[in-house]
Amino acid sequence: MKLQGQEEYEASSAHENVSAGALDSDHGPGHSPGGSSETDSRELGVSKDPPLFIQLNELLGWPQALEWRETGRWVLFEEKLEVGAGRWSAPHVPTLALPSLQKLRSLLAKGLVLLDCPAQNLLELVEQVIRVELLSPEMRGQLQALLLQRPQHYIQTTDTWPCWGSTPPRKASHNESVPLKEQRQNPLRQKLPPGAEAAAVLAGELGFLPQPLGAFVRLRDPVVLGTLTEVPLPSRFFCLLLGPAMPGRGYHEMGRAAAVLLSDPQFQWSVRRASNLHDLLEALDAFLEEVTVLPPGRWDPTARILPPKCLPSRHKRSLSQKREVEGLSAMRTAGAEDRRGRGTYVPCPELQRTGRLFGGLVQDVSRKASWYSTDFLDALHPQCFSAVLYIYLATVTNAITFGGLLGDATDGAQGVLESFLGTAVAGAAFCLLAGQPLTILSSTGPVLVFERLLFSFSRDHSLDYLPFRLWVGIWVATFCLVLVATEASVLVRYFTRFTEEGFCALISLIFIYDALGKMVNLTHAYPIQRPGSPGYGCFCQYPGPQGNESQWATTKPKNRDDILSMDLGLVNASLLPPFECTQQGGQPRGPGCHTVPDIAFFSLLLFLTSFFFATAFKHVKTSRFFPSMVRKVLSDFSSVLAILLGCGLDAFLGLATPKLMVPTEFKPTLPGRGWLVSPFGANPWWLSVAAALPALLLSILIFMDQQITAVILNRAEYKLQKGAGFHLDLFCVAVLILLTSALGLPWYVSATVISLAHMDSLRRESRACAPGEAPSFLGIREQRLTGLVVFILTGISIFLAPVLKFIPVPVLYGIFLYMGVAALSSIQFVKRVQLLLMPAKHQPDLLLLRHVPLNRVHLFTAIQLVCLGLLWIIKSTPAAIIFPLMLLGLVGVRKALEWVFSPQELLWLDELMPEKERNIPEKALEPEHSFGEDESQNSELMYQPKVPEINISVN
């Protein structure tokens, strides 16, 4: 059924007040800085009315001493006053008895309904309400005095003891519009977004009334009604439900029913626009049509249903009305958008061809230039300081790790100093000029493999490595510039989640493998001393008074303790520890007396400490412990706190664990070479042309590595407002490859894991959260300053060696493991791998499993596992030279899957190719079961983003 004015539902609320942080706006890329962003809520017709705070005041004490007492409140969920415990209950989903709704409807149908009431204060409002025919003048006077009586509010102040904001019952005064001090200091006020309004529901038994009295009032202009509500908000609605005694708690339940109705967004939208009693009753009937009934014998009515972790789409109910206006075709598109986070394929502005040379690059530059000043102003936030510390330590560790590996792979032609300098120069330049400054440039595993192969080829053929590498870099830069000129970056539209997950899983596994491998290598550098090993023996020798006679009386141990002081026969010796041996006048002898056998184990302890504490601090934000501000600080500084904790533990015990080693001199690692690489050196001239062949393979690798990471970082679910810059990013990488090749520095591309960690540390979430409501994700703090500062600090780290030398390396390896595990655990591929090991009865209720047979899900996962295994094998063998082609082959494998899986299955398992979405009939994209037919289809839904983690690929 449609209310009057329902046609304006989609176009409404353009001028209505709404909290900026209360609504979860989904800004798409490419918005102009000064223009208003069109949100999904406006497109789908979701109301943007001010949020409503509802309070239930109940009349108690009949017939002796009547008083109004607050017994319940609603924002999104219900909170009941637990009088015995002296506190508010935890927010929970309200449950109602169906007769209470029916009685409320009957009472409102016979009662007083005032819409757009002009009352300006509580006294005027009461005078309007008591003008009913069934009341005598005497009853009106008694009722007016009762309604003007100040209610008792339970206000939990910041002090230790709660405050009852009330006074003894008294006669009405004309100063009721002045809020109490306790109301103004109510902590609940901070949780309500700006522009919130109030609704008061008054219910109770009143014996002198001959029959039930019901009144519903909508004020034309919201006004503060004095002390009527515990929070001094302007009131929009007033509901009165009084009458003679009835069995049970009838009026209390009717009051709860009225409050629950007003807390429902759809009913609230309808009532705000209702023009008469018929519209009000239609809104109530529409609510009853959507009510879910729980059978009385199958659940406990006293149980409280906790707020769900994720609510159904807030567009769902409005979409059911939009179907009537726009038809089923629009509903299918909107339903797919609700399910997938976006509708059918519509290319974003960054990925549309212009048909001109460098046309995409010019558009990226013009688009990002308008945001350039805000890219620095938006960084003025304390959260950015935490991000700088976190990413700086990760970048320094990465530079040292890959610098050491590069030094081993090139026999010292490049080393840690080149890694530091290249990271600082390339990273800072990229953050200043790139289209997506949230990207962190770094050496990556695939590029390192290519560097190793290139050096091996040069050594085996007696070529001068750095000049040969220079020409490879020149050709790579040339090929990348050709790709920019021809707008080849638009091909990233073919990088579906299948390709992204395969690449990201590979990089995450490399991080995990390297972190664990480094810890294993520590056991070789600091071997574990075992009994019987050559370095284990240590004896305490005693100079006896008669040559070699022992001072000990016994030669055979009587018990276990005597083993430590037994006479070994040849010399006066015992197995006392060196310290006790010295105290008793002996001398320690043996290879193990001065070794410390605890370094390997303690390094493992530091490694696990940093990993587990970084994980725990990151997830404390969603826990039940500590105030919200403390949880936020612990979560934002999780990695920094874990590193400080590891450093403090290491300093407390004072063991000689391996520490961070930073170069102290600014000169090339290879002796005798300058900073500029000679173009030819000892190589023949034709090698400059032959270098084009390996450069072609490296260009494919860099294009895939750079653009897959760019696609992951610029996904729509991250709500980036300033748009992407695929062409500009690739152009910057090409120029930087030319620069680093000329200086003999490592090559750099976007680092997937560190870039995701950078974005994760810059998450923006809503501050004003209603009780029971989780903070809503608002987007990423997009700016250039954090990355720029990180790389500047990386450059000057050479001069910070006296400070950085106190950081244990195992602690940083633990952070590496945390970054790899966090990135790996957030992709859907890992969740589907878990389904392989999970019995069907224990599998989560995912929409994916509702629409795709389980054996087809396992087949798709198995194909991904095979592809990932092939990538890992090729990367780890001499065949790594074809690794770039294998990355490109992932797109071909995904294309071939269209012969194995239906479009319906691919729609749920992955996503459709661009031309497939354009050509496939819309009916084929429709789910097998309509989303509007079964309400349960939109329950906890599919893979929801885990707060506060960044998900690489989210449905």
Side-chain angles (χ1 to χ4, degrees):
M1 57 186 66
K2 188 178 297 185
L3 300 176
Q4 295 182 4
Q6 187 73 37
E7 290 77 6
E8 290 82 20
Y9 184 80
E10 291 79 9
S12 66
S13 71
H15 305 287
E16 294 172 356
N17 296 328
V18 64
S19 165
L23 293 178
D24 191 5
S25 301
D26 188 6
H27 299 283
H31 299 296
S32 61
S36 61
S37 303
E38 289 295 325
T39 63
D40 289 344
S41 57
R42 180 173 302 178
E43 293 171 358
L44 295 177
V46 173
S47 171
K48 299 176 73 173
D49 292 317
L52 201 62
F53 167 74
I54 304 105
Q55 176 175 321
L56 173 61
N57 293 340
E58 193 169 354
L59 184 62
L60 303 173
W62 173 264
Q64 289 83 11
L66 292 175
E67 64 173 357
W68 294 103
R69 186 181 292 269
E70 180 185 12
T71 59
R73 64 187 187 187
W74 289 256
V75 181
L76 290 179
F77 303 99
E78 180 180 18
E79 293 177 89
K80 293 180 178 179
L81 180 61
E82 298 170 341
V83 180
R87 65 175 187 178
W88 285 104
S89 71
H92 55 275
V93 179
T95 54
L96 298 172
L98 196 58
S100 64
L101 286 168
Q102 297 170 345
K103 292 178 182 178
L104 175 64
R105 189 191 188 284
S106 175
L107 188 57
L108 291 180
K110 301 176 182 178
L112 176 68
V113 175
L114 299 176
L115 303 176
D116 295 331
C117 177
Q120 296 297 318
N121 52 55
L122 182 58
L123 180 60
E124 294 182 11
L125 176 61
V126 170
E127 291 176 350
Q128 293 281 342
V129 170
I130 62 176
R131 292 177 182 175
V132 290
E133 297 179 357
L134 63 92
L135 296 178
S136 64
E138 181 181 357
M139 290 182 182
R140 290 177 183 174
Q142 294 177 356
L143 185 57
Q144 179 178 359
L146 185 63
L147 294 177
L148 292 177
Q149 182 177 310
R150 178 177 295 172
Q152 293 193 31
H153 307 302
Y154 183 83
I155 300 176
Q156 183 72 48
T157 61
T158 55
D159 301 329
T160 305
W161 300 99
C163 173
W164 284 94
S166 68
T167 57
R170 57 181 178 80
K171 293 184 178 180
S173 68
H174 296 286
N175 198 29
E176 294 292 343
S177 61
V178 180
L180 295 174
K181 178 182 178 181
E182 293 82 4
Q183 289 178 277
R184 295 191 294 267
Q185 296 178 352
N186 192 341
L188 179 63
R189 190 174 184 179
Q190 302 175 359
K191 298 183 179 181
L192 299 175
E197 296 178 350
V201 179
L202 279 65
E205 295 181 357
L206 195 57
F208 64 76
L209 291 179
Q211 62 185 54
L213 170 64
F216 184 88
V217 180
R218 185 186 69 202
L219 295 175
R220 182 176 60 194
D221 300 314
V223 294
V224 178
L225 298 179
T227 60
L228 189 62
T229 56
E230 65 167 295
V231 183
L233 296 174
S235 296
R236 172 70 72 175
F237 299 102
F238 177 87
C239 184
L240 181 65
L241 304 169
L242 297 173
M246 67 171 57
R249 305 182 64 189
Y251 291 103
H252 171 77
E253 291 301 321
M254 279 196 291
R256 289 186 62 246
V260 171
L261 280 170
L262 288 171
S263 67
D264 179 67
Q266 185 66 35
F267 179 83
Q268 184 188 141
W269 182 92
S270 302
V271 170
R272 286 180 181 272
R273 289 150 184 83
S275 57
N276 50 46
L277 174 61
H278 177 70
D279 294 344
L280 177 64
L281 296 180
E282 277 194 341
L284 200 155
D285 292 337
F287 179 86
L288 287 172
E289 288 181 358
E290 298 187 56
V291 165
T292 301
V293 178
L294 295 174
R298 295 295 180 266
W299 81 295
D300 183 6
T302 62
R304 292 173 179 171
I305 304 176
L306 296 178
K309 295 180 180 180
C310 52
L311 290 173
S313 170
R314 59 196 179 92
H315 308 317
K316 178 183 59 178
R317 294 172 62 188
S318 60
L319 288 173
S320 64
Q321 295 189 3
K322 197 173 184 183
R323 184 193 288 112
E324 301 178 8
V325 181
E326 299 182 3
L328 184 59
S329 176
M331 179 59 194
R332 289 169 183 163
T333 303
E337 183 171 345
D338 181 51
R339 181 179 75 253
R340 298 287 309 282
R342 55 188 175 89
T344 54
Y345 172 74
V346 178
C348 60
E350 297 90 343
L351 298 179
Q352 290 182 347
R353 288 189 181 273
T354 63
R356 303 185 305 271
L357 286 178
F358 295 100
L361 176 63
V362 173
Q363 284 191 350
D364 284 351
V365 172
S366 61
R367 184 186 305 111
K368 301 302 291 187
S370 59
W371 294 100
Y372 200 77
S373 59
T374 63
D375 284 341
F376 295 93
L377 298 177
D378 292 345
L380 303 179
H381 191 276
Q383 187 181 14
C384 296
F385 176 72
S386 167
V388 167
L389 293 178
Y390 174 28
I391 303 303
Y392 164 67
L393 292 173
T395 303
V396 167
T397 307
N398 198 51
I400 292 174
T401 302
F402 279 99
L405 294 175
L406 192 60
D408 296 338
T410 61
D411 287 345
Q414 295 170 302
V416 176
L417 181 69
E418 284 82 1
S419 181
F420 267 84
L421 182 60
T423 301
V425 172
F430 189 86
C431 288
L432 280 174
L433 303 174
Q436 182 48 271
L438 296 174
T439 303
I440 300 296
L441 290 193
S442 176
S443 297
T444 62
V447 175
L448 179 62
V449 170
F450 195 90
E451 292 254 27
R452 182 183 292 112
L453 295 174
L454 197 64
F455 178 80
S456 300
F457 178 82
S458 301
R459 181 188 55 195
D460 295 342
H461 294 82
S462 302
L463 299 177
D464 200 349
Y465 169 63
L466 289 179
F468 179 45
R469 181 179 180 276
L470 170 61
W471 282 107
V472 172
I474 292 174
W475 280 107
V476 169
T478 303
F479 291 146
C480 288
L481 290 177
V482 172
L483 294 175
V484 174
T486 56
E487 300 180 304
S489 295
V490 300
L491 297 177
V492 302
R493 294 179 297 178
Y494 293 89
F495 295 168
T496 64
R497 192 173 59 241
F498 178 88
T499 307
E500 296 170 19
E501 288 183 342
F503 178 78
C504 188
L506 175 67
I507 300 301
S508 301
L509 289 176
I510 289 175
F511 263 70
I512 296 173
Y513 179 81
D514 287 344
L516 297 176
K518 288 293 184 181
M519 289 305 302
V520 172
N521 292 337
L522 282 180
T523 62
H524 300 294
Y526 303 92
I528 300 173
Q529 304 297 321
R530 300 179 178 88
S533 62
Y536 187 83
C538 178
F539 304 95
C540 182
Q541 181 180 1
Y542 297 92
Q546 299 177 357
N548 285 338
E549 274 187 45
S550 172
Q551 292 184 356
W552 305 97
T554 61
T555 58
K556 295 183 178 180
K558 296 181 179 180
N559 52 47
R560 182 177 178 274
D561 296 335
D562 286 343
I563 294 178
L564 297 177
S565 58
M566 60 179 292
D567 188 359
L568 299 180
L570 296 177
V571 293
N572 298 327
S574 68
L575 298 179
L576 288 175
F579 180 74
E580 296 183 14
C581 174
T582 305
Q583 283 185 333
Q584 296 191 14
Q587 295 181 354
R589 293 286 187 269
C593 292
H594 303 288
T595 60
V596 182
D598 303 318
I599 290 182
F601 286 112
F602 189 69
S603 297
L604 179 63
L605 175 63
L606 293 178
F607 174 74
L608 297 177
T609 297
S610 60
F611 169 71
F612 285 115
F613 272 91
T615 304
F617 284 143
K618 194 64 180 179
H619 289 86
V620 77
K621 194 170 188 177
T622 56
S623 71
R624 298 177 181 270
F625 302 101
F626 310 114
S628 58
M629 183 58 67
V630 176
R631 295 200 307 268
K632 186 177 187 304
V633 171
L634 291 177
S635 178
D636 290 344
F637 290 83
S638 58
S639 299
V640 177
L641 291 175
I643 292 174
L644 292 178
L645 183 64
C647 293
L649 186 60
D650 177 78
F652 176 74
L653 296 179
L655 292 179
T657 53
K659 301 298 191 296
L660 194 61
M661 300 297 294
V662 182
T664 56
E665 295 182 350
F666 189 76
K667 63 179 182 180
T669 303
L670 185 65
R673 89 164 180 95
W675 282 112
L676 287 177
V677 178
S678 172
F680 293 100
N683 297 332
W685 66 269
W686 53 265
L687 195 62
S688 59
V689 179
L693 181 59
L696 179 61
L697 295 175
L698 182 58
S699 300
I700 297 174
L701 174 61
I702 288 177
F703 179 82
M704 296 290 293
D705 202 342
Q706 170 66 33
Q707 299 297 50
I708 289 178
T709 302
V711 169
I712 294 173
L713 297 182
N714 290 284
R715 274 193 168 271
E717 52 263 31
Y718 298 148
K719 301 180 181 179
L720 301 180
Q721 301 181 23
K722 300 181 180 181
F726 296 98
H727 310 282
L728 179 57
D729 289 348
L730 186 59
F731 176 80
C732 291
V733 169
V735 174
L736 291 174
I737 286 178
L738 183 62
L739 175 63
T740 53
S741 300
L743 296 176
L745 304 178
W747 290 318
Y748 296 96
V749 292
S750 298
T752 308
V753 174
I754 299 182
S755 299
L756 284 170
H758 187 207
M759 292 183 65
D760 190 22
S761 63
L762 294 171
R763 292 175 61 96
R764 293 189 302 111
E765 294 181 340
S766 59
R767 283 188 175 182
C769 300
E773 178 190 20
S776 58
F777 174 66
L778 301 178
I780 306 296
R781 202 172 300 279
E782 301 175 62
Q783 37 72 45
R784 298 178 182 270
L785 199 57
T786 54
L788 182 62
V789 173
V790 163
F791 290 115
I792 291 176
L793 290 177
T794 303
I796 65 177
S797 294
I798 299 175
F799 309 102
L800 297 178
V803 177
L804 297 178
K805 68 180 182 181
F806 293 105
I807 301 179
V809 173
V811 171
L812 299 181
Y813 292 157
I815 298 299
F816 261 46
L817 178 64
Y818 162 72
M819 294 166 59
V821 171
L824 187 65
S825 62
S826 62
I827 58 179
Q828 189 208 77
F829 166 65
V830 175
K831 297 177 176 62
R832 284 189 277 104
V833 171
Q834 295 173 356
L835 293 178
L836 292 171
L837 309 175
M838 197 178 298
K841 65 179 180 179
H842 296 304
Q843 291 175 354
D845 184 20
L846 305 173
L847 278 187
L848 169 69
L849 300 179
R850 298 184 187 183
H851 296 278
V852 182
L854 184 60
N855 61 340
R856 304 292 286 174
V857 175
H858 289 342
L859 176 60
F860 188 85
T861 307
I863 294 175
Q864 278 190 295
L865 283 173
V866 171
C867 292
L868 179 60
L870 289 176
L871 287 176
W872 185 270
I873 293 173
I874 292 175
K875 178 197 75 69
S876 306
T877 61
I881 191 68
I882 65 170
F883 181 78
L885 297 179
M886 290 300 298
L887 279 180
L888 196 60
L890 286 178
V891 181
V893 173
R894 168 59 184 83
K895 185 67 176 176
L897 291 180
E898 295 179 358
W899 296 86
V900 181
F901 297 91
S902 67
Q904 171 72 22
E905 293 171 336
L906 290 176
L907 185 65
W908 289 100
L909 292 169
D910 185 33
E911 51 194 23
L912 297 183
M913 290 284 193
E915 75 282 354
K916 196 72 176 178
E917 290 195 354
R918 283 194 293 264
N919 298 334
I920 193 168
E922 194 169 327
K923 182 178 180 181
L925 292 179
E926 183 182 359
E928 297 171 0
H929 304 285
S930 173
F931 278 81
E933 292 175 1
D934 187 2
E935 200 73 19
S936 64
Q937 296 286 344
N938 281 317
S939 61
E940 301 244 338
L941 298 187
M942 36 207 341
Y943 300 105
Q944 298 291 339
K946 294 188 291 184
V947 179
E949 296 177 357
I950 285 281
N951 277 358
I952 294 173
S953 185
V954 182
N955 280 347

